[in-house]
Amino acid sequence: MRLVGLPGGFLLMLALLASNALYASDACHATSGPGTAAVVELYTSEGCSSCPPADRELSLLSREAGPGSTVIPLGLHVTYWDSLGWQDVMAQKVFDARQSELVAAGHGTFVYTPEFFANGEEIRSWHGTFPDAIRQINSTPAPVEMALTTRSDPDNTVELEASVTPRDARALPADGVQLYFAVTEDGLVSHVLRGENGGTTLSHDGVVRLWVGPVAVGAQGGVVRRDITVSPQWDRAHLHFVALVQNGRDQVLQAVRAGTCGAS
C-alpha cells in the first residue's frame, strides 16, 4: 500500500427484487429501475503489490452480489505509482484527481491503493462485505430515472445519449446534478516486467479507458449527448459504456451501463 498526502431479511429481498425488476439492458440501450445501481470504483495500479486481490474482487462483484443485482464496476488506474519501477499504461491523471475528490468529500486525509468506493462512499473493509453493500444500495429508491443509448459509426465514433428524469419535482438538488460518461473494457491481461509485481501476469476487468465530465444537468433533468472516439487498441467486443449522475457531495444517485451496436 502506498499513501499519498492530500492538500436482511425477507423485506430486504422483496425490496431488492423490486429495485431491479425494471432494469433493462441490451446491446446498445439501457434503462434504470426504481432501485439505485451500485457503482463500485476501485483505485488501483499495476505497480502496487497489494492491488491484484482488489482487482480480482472487482471482477467478481456481479457474481458475488448474486442474481438480480445491479452493479457497475469501474477500475481506475492511478499514475502516482508510475515512477516506482513500472508504468501502468492504463493509468490517467484524471483518475488521480477523481480519487482525491472522493477522499476530500468524505473528509479523508490521504489517498491510497487499492481503495474502493461504492456510490461515493469509501469501503475500507471490503473483504466479504460487498454483497451486502451492493444489495443495500440496490434496495434504495433512486431519485432519478436514467437511460443510455449508444450509436456506433464506421469511423470509430460512438454517440452516447443519456437522459436524466427526476422522479418528482423535488427529487434533485436545486442546483442540479453532475453527469459523467465512462468507457470500460473487460478481459485485459498484462505481463508486468518490473516493480513490485515484476514477473506477474495480471488480469483486469472494468478498466476505465475514458472518463468524460462533469456535465451539469439541471434540477428538471435533461438529455446529454457526446461523441467519443474508440481507440483501435480497445476491443469493442469487451467495451461497456456507463453514464452516472452524482450530487454536489460526490454521492452517486443513479447509473446505467450499455454495450454498443451498429457499425464495427
Side-chain angles (χ1 to χ4, degrees):
M1 178 185 295
R2 183 184 181 211
L3 306 182
V4 179
L6 268 183
F10 182 66
L11 291 179
L12 176 60
M13 181 60 70
L14 288 179
L16 174 62
L17 292 174
S19 72
N20 293 284
L22 297 182
Y23 178 83
S25 176
D26 57 28
C28 55
H29 185 73
T31 56
S32 65
T36 305
V39 177
V40 178
E41 301 178 43
L42 168 62
Y43 291 87
T44 185
S45 171
E46 289 193 333
C48 156
S49 62
S50 58
C51 286
D55 295 333
R56 290 192 290 270
E57 179 70 17
L58 192 75
S59 297
L60 294 172
L61 284 179
S62 296
R63 184 191 309 173
E64 290 181 347
S69 64
T70 304
V71 56
I72 298 175
L74 301 178
L76 300 108
H77 290 235
V78 296
T79 68
Y80 49 77
W81 277 91
D82 284 357
S83 61
L84 300 176
W86 179 253
Q87 184 170 358
D88 189 335
V89 298
M90 293 167 283
Q92 299 184 39
K93 288 188 178 297
V94 67
F95 305 153
D96 302 2
R98 169 75 175 176
Q99 184 183 20
S100 295
E101 290 169 5
L102 291 176
V103 170
H107 306 289
T109 57
F110 56 83
V111 299
Y112 62 92
T113 56
E115 185 172 24
F116 276 106
F117 293 84
N119 285 29
E121 298 290 333
E122 185 184 10
I123 306 293
R124 280 188 174 270
S125 301
W126 49 268
H127 296 279
T129 65
F130 268 119
D132 287 341
I134 290 168
R135 294 183 192 110
Q136 183 174 0
I137 292 171
N138 288 171
S139 66
T140 303
V144 298
E145 298 175 358
M146 293 188 67
L148 175 63
T149 299
T150 68
R151 301 179 182 91
S152 182
D153 295 327
D155 61 353
N156 288 330
T157 298
V158 175
E159 180 190 90
L160 306 180
E161 179 181 291
S163 65
V164 180
T165 307
R167 293 197 177 277
D168 61 55
R170 293 172 294 181
L172 295 183
D175 56 354
V177 294
Q178 296 83 45
L179 182 142
Y180 291 87
F181 290 113
V183 181
T184 69
E185 184 175 359
D186 294 335
L188 294 175
V189 176
S190 294
H191 305 291
V192 180
L193 302 180
R194 295 174 298 279
E196 290 189 2
N197 290 315
T200 304
T201 298
L202 302 178
S203 299
H204 307 287
D205 292 309
V207 175
V208 178
R209 290 299 208 172
L210 183 67
W211 184 258
V212 178
V215 180
V217 177
Q220 303 305 311
V223 176
V224 177
R225 298 180 181 88
R226 287 290 186 275
D227 289 339
I228 65 167
T229 300
V230 174
S231 168
Q233 297 179 342
W234 304 345
D235 184 350
R236 280 178 174 256
H238 291 94
L239 293 184
H240 293 284
F241 300 86
V242 177
L244 66 88
V245 292
Q246 66 180 42
N247 61 20
R249 300 184 301 278
D250 290 342
Q251 296 173 325
V252 175
L253 304 179
Q254 186 58 295
V256 285
R257 183 177 72 166
T260 185
C261 60
S264 60

